[in-house]
Amino acid sequence: MLPASAVDLTEAARSVHHFKINGFTATKEKPGYTASRVCAVGGHDWRIEFHPKCSNPNRKYYGAGNNEEWIMFRVRLISNGATGIAASFSCRLVDPSSPGSYCLDHEEIKASVFQENHSLDIFLIRRSDLEGSRRRYVKDDCILVECAINVLPGKPKDPAATLSVPSSDLHRQFGELLRSQKGADITFLVAGEHVPAHRSLLAARSPVFMAELFGGMKEMVAAPCVEVKEMKVEVFRAMLHFVYTDTVPELDRLKEDQATAMARRLVEAADRYGLKRLKRICVEKVCTAINVANVAATLALAEQHGCSKLKARCMKFTVANLGAVSATEGYKHLEASCPWVLTELLKLMVEGCK
């Protein structure tokens, strides 16, 4: 049984359910589906079903002659004799690295007029995406999905008039604005390359850009071209993509070692421009890739950019592997750049011996 915690948000009969699907990998081998408890919304009884592997009739992918398997959620009206119930059903994948944040590419809402035993399906995401490009949404072999049921009061006069509300497309539209460069009113010179952007959007997203472009520092950028020093152009472009879309596709597309290197550079860029969410996402990525070879350099990064969680992880790892870590070049750099951290390490070791 899937755990379902329903919370009525308004008098207009809205109920939100958070499903934590444990043992995600094993669900591929389980037949059938898993159903939630019955939930009452708008005076009617509903049930949500989780189907771990389904063929999507609306979107076929062919590989080795077979359709791709999708994760599907289904809402079903189970009240006896119910008819003409206008309701919507939405699902979205929750980002485990940032509670309260969601995967914008994988959220969907549908609406319909229900009668007894009528159901509505949402094909949320391909399993292969969660095993590949979207694997960061699987944490400890679990995924978290938010489902919501909205029931409209009364009965619709014309069922055909009930419209399906499309998912938000704002991030894609802003992404296209960045790609097309239409209306760009500022250009950055980064490592010899020109990168156009839009002042107002940058200022809305970053307090640093706001100060530079519209605050007391605006005289610094009176010229239409602003030079950005000590940053690689691919890092600046990735940061801009986040500013426009709130996503970091590079962390999913690149190979693991390249993605970690990009995340480290983006931690620096995010700290420089006051992008707290980007910094948090990238810190989470770096945390998952700590090893003997990079822990000292990562500890220096955490210390220099105020990443307390990352620092704590590195300190614990270093104490447990001090012999191997102290022989690395990164440790020598740590001694030179952050000598006070070694004192903290010593204190941590002493406390561990008590």
Side-chain angles (χ1 to χ4, degrees):
M1 181 74 70
L2 286 173
S5 54
V7 181
D8 287 330
L9 299 180
T10 68
E11 295 181 359
R14 172 178 170 83
S15 190
V16 177
H17 308 255
H18 288 93
F19 293 101
K20 185 178 182 182
I21 300 165
N22 296 302
F24 169 71
T25 303
T27 62
K28 186 173 184 178
E29 307 303 325
K30 293 181 180 179
Y33 63 88
T34 307
S36 71
R37 297 190 298 269
V38 175
C39 51
V41 189
H44 303 281
D45 292 334
W46 306 79
R47 178 175 284 127
I48 299 174
E49 302 169 1
F50 164 60
H51 295 250
K53 52 176 184 177
C54 295
S55 176
N56 186 345
N58 302 317
R59 195 175 177 188
K60 293 184 177 180
Y61 290 80
Y62 295 96
N66 296 317
N67 291 341
E68 287 276 358
E69 293 178 337
W70 286 70
I71 290 174
M72 188 261 280
F73 283 84
R74 170 178 291 161
V75 65
R76 186 184 299 276
L77 176 62
I78 60 175
S79 292
N80 292 331
T83 182
I85 309 302
S88 68
F89 180 51
S90 64
C91 296
R92 54 183 178 177
L93 193 61
V94 180
D95 185 347
S97 67
S98 183
S101 300
Y102 307 91
C103 178
L104 297 177
D105 291 333
H106 294 287
E107 57 177 319
E108 188 172 350
I109 182 170
K110 289 185 176 181
S112 183
V113 177
F114 290 77
Q115 57 186 3
E116 181 185 352
N117 207 39
H118 177 76
S119 62
L120 191 62
D121 299 341
I122 286 182
F123 293 86
L124 187 61
I125 186 173
R126 291 179 295 170
R127 288 193 69 100
S128 59
D129 287 341
L130 287 174
E131 295 163 356
S133 63
R134 297 293 178 183
R135 60 186 177 277
R136 69 189 182 93
Y137 290 95
V138 181
K139 188 172 185 179
D140 299 326
D141 203 27
C142 299
I143 62 172
L144 186 61
V145 177
E146 180 186 281
C147 299
I149 302 171
N150 292 274
V151 180
L152 302 179
K155 294 184 178 181
K157 296 180 180 179
D158 180 9
T162 303
L163 300 178
S164 177
V165 180
S167 301
S168 172
D169 207 27
L170 190 64
H171 63 294
R172 294 190 184 93
Q173 293 169 344
F174 278 133
E176 176 59 23
L177 183 66
L178 175 64
R179 188 198 66 78
S180 69
Q181 303 177 10
K182 291 181 179 178
D185 55 2
I186 189 169
T187 299
F188 294 92
L189 180 62
V190 189
E193 293 190 30
H194 290 86
V195 183
H198 304 79
R199 292 173 183 263
S200 295
L201 202 152
L202 298 180
R205 295 280 281 157
S206 161
V208 176
F209 278 130
M210 174 65 81
E212 290 182 347
L213 301 177
F214 296 102
M217 301 169 63
K218 62 183 179 181
E219 66 277 1
M220 296 174 57
V221 290
C225 185
V226 180
E227 184 177 5
V228 177
K229 299 179 180 180
E230 299 179 352
M231 187 178 298
K232 293 187 175 182
V233 67
E234 61 268 24
V235 176
F236 188 78
R237 290 187 186 278
M239 184 188 74
L240 276 193
H241 189 275
F242 175 84
V243 167
Y244 280 71
T245 69
D246 212 43
T247 62
V248 198
E250 289 80 6
L251 300 188
D252 295 324
R253 288 201 302 251
L254 296 174
K255 293 181 180 179
E256 193 64 27
D257 57 340
Q258 295 173 329
T260 301
M262 174 61 77
R264 292 170 62 89
R265 297 187 185 105
L266 283 173
V267 167
E268 299 173 351
D271 192 44
R272 178 172 171 177
Y273 286 97
L275 300 169
K276 294 181 180 180
R277 174 168 152 76
L278 175 60
K279 183 178 178 180
R280 185 169 181 174
I281 290 172
C282 294
V283 163
E284 189 70 25
K285 177 66 177 178
V286 175
C287 277
T288 64
I290 295 172
N291 57 42
V292 169
N294 67 28
V295 66
T298 303
L299 181 52
L301 175 77
E303 179 68 16
Q304 291 163 0
H305 296 281
C307 307
S308 57
K309 177 182 177 181
L310 181 58
K311 179 179 178 179
R313 291 271 190 96
C314 290
M315 296 279 280
K316 183 177 180 180
F317 184 93
T318 301
V319 168
N321 303 273
L322 186 59
V325 173
S326 61
T328 64
E329 288 297 320
Y331 190 82
K332 296 177 183 178
H333 172 72
L334 181 66
E335 287 181 313
S337 61
C338 306
W340 58 90
V341 174
L342 301 184
T343 303
E344 294 180 41
L345 279 172
L346 181 59
K347 290 181 179 179
L348 190 61
M349 292 175 63
V350 171
E351 290 174 0
C353 294
K354 290 181 180 179

